[in-house]
Each structure stands twice: as structure tokens, then as C-alpha cells.
């Protein structure tokens, strides 16, 4: 049904969301530019690449939506409402990088478990030197991989919590960095209409340094490297259906992101659903140097139980753009 304007908290939230969406990048001045001095203090940056065309269609404001298998990345507490599903995502990232993510969620009773695997890949690159600028005939490779195991439990019909433990490995030619990180999330239905609230801490872990040796080119080698922390991020999210009636739904979401290695930023998103089969999305990320705005669309087909296909296109300023394609099957 139509959500009445008689509810002040939800009316104010809708007004704020629409104001920010119209104002666009100019609203970045509303967020204090804090944390710039922290840039570059963490490693394993691929862990920050968002997963899922639908979630990115919300501008990444997905911690409090968290109702499909991509929530393995955004909020492990949400997997209890994702259903039995399998999910794959491919991202065409700038500078010829590609990001892949796959996950499976299996609920049982009030609990759910999930497994996920992600990879950032770079094509083999020729080795060049000052004396051989066209290449030495050798190549080097950069790549990242992460494998996660998630568990979530519904404590009540309103509240759930979840955790993900993740093994991470980064390879830069002959150097390897290995680490273990932890995600912790909560999901809460407030009881005010359909509004939801979420708190997530992602990529929490200790410092890690590369292992291996690097040839300095003068006969010496380097074997002692500085350690870096993973890119820990605190997320605080809100979501609500502003329109919900037969054949039509409009969902809005907002999320405050506090990374340990950059300034705070705000994600905003809207999803319009027609007959829960066709979807249009738009999102913004304010106070972010890279990702700024995103457009997306999706469709659900009654194939193999239920097949969801989504696409998003992210505008990234001087870096260009990023395209995401995802498929999810509920079985």
C-alpha cells in the first residue's frame, strides 16, 4: 500500500534522500572532509571493491537492504533472508582489471551459512627496464584472491547477526601477502513500517606484510617489508519502502561509510520495482574521490526456481567507469 506521509521520521528520511539526489555532488560539502590524512595506510585494497550490480545500483547503500546473496559482501547478518541461492558477479574494473565474485547461501531453521570466493585479476605484464624499455621477454603478474565462510542467525523476527571469516592472499610477482579478516554485522527491523537498520564492521584484522624477496637489480635483494592493516570499514545503514503497493515498489537506502584509510563518505540509492520482475536503480556516493554515481537495471525470470539478472554502470571520474553483471539463482 501507499506509505502515508503521517509518519514524521519516514517523511523526513524521504525528503532528505530526494534532496541529496537532486543536489548531487554539491551536497558533498555537507560531509566534513575528515580522514584525508589516512589515505594509503592500509593494504589489500581489492577488498573494498563492491560486489553485485543490484547492490551497486543502490550506490553501495546495501547493508540495510541485504536481501540477496551479495550480502555475503555487504552484511553477513542479511544471509538469513537471502534464501537458498547461488550468486556470481563480474566487474570490468578500470586499467584492464577484472573482479569476480561467487557465493552460495544455504538457510537452515533460523540460521544460514554461506561461502564466497572473490578474485581481482590483471593480465600478464611485460617486464621492462631502463635499458630494455620494450621488454625483457619476461612477464610479471598481479592478483588477489579471498575465500570467506559466513554464518548468521535470526535471534527474533526483527533482529539477526552474522559473521564472516575470510582468508586473503595478494600476489605481486614473487611477493605474497596473506591475512585473515573478519566481518561482523547486525540487521534490525525497527517496526516503523518497513524500515530497517544495519551496523557492519568489515575487513577487521591485524597487520600483515609480504613474504618473499625482491631483486634490486644491483645484485642485492630486499626481504624485509613494511606491514599494513586491512582496509577496515564501519557501515551504518538505513532502508525503507517509500511506495509499496500491488505491482509497484520504491525502496530507498542511505549508508554512512567510515573507512580506516580515507575520509567518511555517504551512499544513497533508490530501486523502483515493477511487478517484482523489472527493476530500475540509481545511486550516489558523496565525498568519494572515485565512485560518484551509478545507474542500474535488472529482471527476475521464473527459470530454475528464480533467476535474477542485473547490470550496473558506475561513473568514476578520471578513472573512467566500471560495469557489473550479476546472476543469482534461488533454488
Amino acid at each position: 500500500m501507499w506509505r502515508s506521509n503521517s509518519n514524521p521520521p519516514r517523511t523526513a528520511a524521504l525528503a532528505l534522500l530526494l534532496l541529496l539526489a537532486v543536489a548531487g555532488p554539491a551536497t558533498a560539502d555537507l560531509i566534513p572532509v575528515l580522514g584525508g590524512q589516512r589515505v594509503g595506510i592500509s593494504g589489500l585494497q581489492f577488498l573494498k571493491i563492491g560486489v553485485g550490480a543490484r547492490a551497486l545500483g543502490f550506490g553501495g547503500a546495501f547493508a540495510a537492504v541485504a536481501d540477496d546473496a551479495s550480502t555475503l559482501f555487504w552484511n553477513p547478518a542479511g544471509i538469513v533472508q537471502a534464501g537458498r541461492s547461488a550468486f556470481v558477479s563480474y566487474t570490468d574494473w578500470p586499467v584492464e582489471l577484472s573482479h569476480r565474485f561467487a557465493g552460495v547461501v544455504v538457510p537452515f531453521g533460523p540460521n544460514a551459512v554461506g561461502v564466497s570466493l572473490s578474485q581481482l585479476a590483471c593480465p600478464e605484464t611485460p617486464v621492462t627496464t631502463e635499458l630494455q624499455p620494450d621488454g625483457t621477454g619476461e612477464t610479471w603478474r598481479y592478483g588477489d584472491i579471498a575465500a570467506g565462510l559466513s554464518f548468521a542467525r535470526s535471534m527474533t523476527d526483527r533482529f539477526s547477526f552474522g559473521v564472516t571469516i575470510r582468508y586473503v592472499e595478494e600476489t605481486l610477482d614473487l611477493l605474497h601477502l596473506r591475512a585473515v579478516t573478519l566481518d561482523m554485522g547486525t540487521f534490525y527491523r525497527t517496526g516503523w513500517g518497513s524500515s530497517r537498520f544495519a551496523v557492519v564492521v568489515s575487513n577487521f584484522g591485524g597487520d600483515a606484510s609480504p613474504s618473499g624477496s625482491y631483486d634490486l637489480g644491483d645484485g642485492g635483494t630486499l626481504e624485509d617489508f613494511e606491514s599494513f592493516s586491512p582496509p577496515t570499514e564501519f557501515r551504518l545503514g538505513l532502508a525503507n519502502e517509500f511506495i509499496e503497493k500491488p505491482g509497484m515498489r520504491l525502496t530507498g537506502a542511505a549508508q554512512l561509510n567510515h573507512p580506516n584509510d580515507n575520509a567518511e563518505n555517504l551512499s544513497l540509492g533508490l530501486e523502483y520495482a515493477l511487478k517484482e520482475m523489472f527493476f530500475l536503480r540509481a545511486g550516489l556516493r558523496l565525498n568519494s574521490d572515485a565512485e560518484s554515481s551509478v545507474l542500474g537495471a535488472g529482471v527476475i525470470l521464473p527459470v530454475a526456481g528464480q533467476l535474477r539478472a542485473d547490470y550496473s554502470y558506475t561513473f568514476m571520474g578520471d578513472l573512467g567507469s566500471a560495469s557489473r553483471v550479476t546472476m543469482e539463482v534461488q533454488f
Side-chain angles (χ1 to χ4, degrees):
M1 65 178 183
W2 172 260
R3 300 296 183 183
S4 168
N5 285 339
S6 62
N7 189 311
R10 287 163 48 205
T11 303
L14 176 58
L16 176 61
L17 184 64
L18 292 177
L19 173 63
L20 292 172
V22 171
T27 59
D29 292 337
L30 296 175
I31 308 173
V33 182
L34 304 175
Q37 71 278 8
R38 301 193 301 262
V39 173
I41 67 171
S42 68
L44 300 170
Q45 292 293 297
F46 85 105
L47 293 174
K48 299 163 69 172
I49 298 177
V51 167
R54 179 174 179 239
L56 270 297
F58 276 94
F62 203 69
V65 179
D67 59 0
D68 64 34
S70 71
T71 196
L72 286 164
F73 174 88
W74 298 99
N75 183 358
I79 65 173
V80 293
Q81 58 184 7
R84 187 184 302 268
S85 53
F87 175 89
V88 293
S89 178
Y90 176 82
T91 303
D92 184 14
W93 201 244
V95 296
E96 300 185 8
L97 296 175
S98 60
H99 185 264
R100 304 174 180 91
F101 183 95
V104 176
V105 175
V106 178
F108 59 100
N111 311 305
V113 295
V115 294
S116 57
L117 182 68
S118 61
Q119 178 194 39
L120 181 67
C122 173
E124 288 190 350
T125 304
V127 175
T128 61
T129 68
E130 292 180 355
L131 299 178
Q132 296 174 290
D134 295 326
T136 65
E138 299 176 320
T139 60
W140 64 276
R141 178 182 290 275
Y142 166 82
D144 299 282
I145 191 168
L149 176 64
S150 304
F151 172 81
R153 179 177 178 84
S154 292
M155 304 301 293
T156 70
D157 58 351
R158 290 189 181 184
F159 176 76
S160 63
F161 76 92
V163 296
T164 296
I165 186 169
R166 184 179 295 108
Y167 170 78
V168 186
E169 181 170 331
E170 183 171 80
T171 299
L172 179 57
D173 198 15
L174 301 178
L175 303 181
H176 302 275
L177 189 154
R178 300 176 178 90
V180 175
T181 65
L182 185 70
D183 294 357
M184 298 167 284
T186 61
F187 181 91
Y188 179 65
R189 296 186 182 276
T190 67
W192 296 344
S194 63
S195 61
R196 292 90 81 194
F197 174 76
V199 177
V200 181
V201 177
S202 64
N203 303 320
F204 178 79
D207 292 358
S209 61
S211 61
S213 60
Y214 176 74
D215 184 0
L216 296 176
D218 58 2
T221 60
L222 182 63
E223 297 180 348
D224 186 21
F225 302 94
E226 187 175 351
S227 62
F228 293 90
S229 65
T232 305
E233 183 173 73
F234 174 81
R235 301 172 183 145
L236 180 65
L238 295 168
N240 186 66
E241 272 66 56
F242 298 128
I243 300 175
E244 192 173 19
K245 58 184 180 180
M248 183 185 300
R249 171 177 57 81
L250 179 65
T251 300
Q255 182 175 298
L256 177 65
N257 306 299
H258 177 84
N260 71 338
D261 61 354
N262 211 323
E264 292 71 19
N265 60 84
L266 180 66
S267 298
L268 302 168
L270 292 170
E271 177 183 67
Y272 174 78
L274 180 63
K275 300 184 182 299
E276 294 299 332
M277 291 182 61
F278 306 101
F279 305 87
L280 293 175
R281 305 180 188 100
L284 289 173
R285 178 164 288 188
L286 307 177
N287 207 38
S288 173
D289 293 333
E291 300 171 78
S292 57
S293 58
V294 58
L295 297 174
V299 62
I300 290 180
L301 302 173
V303 177
Q306 177 177 288
L307 173 65
R308 176 193 290 272
D310 293 294
Y311 173 82
S312 69
Y313 185 89
T314 304
F315 299 90
M316 301 184 67
D318 293 338
L319 293 177
S321 63
S323 298
R324 288 177 174 86
V325 178
T326 64
M327 304 282 286
E328 181 182 27
V329 177
Q330 292 196 343
F331 53 93

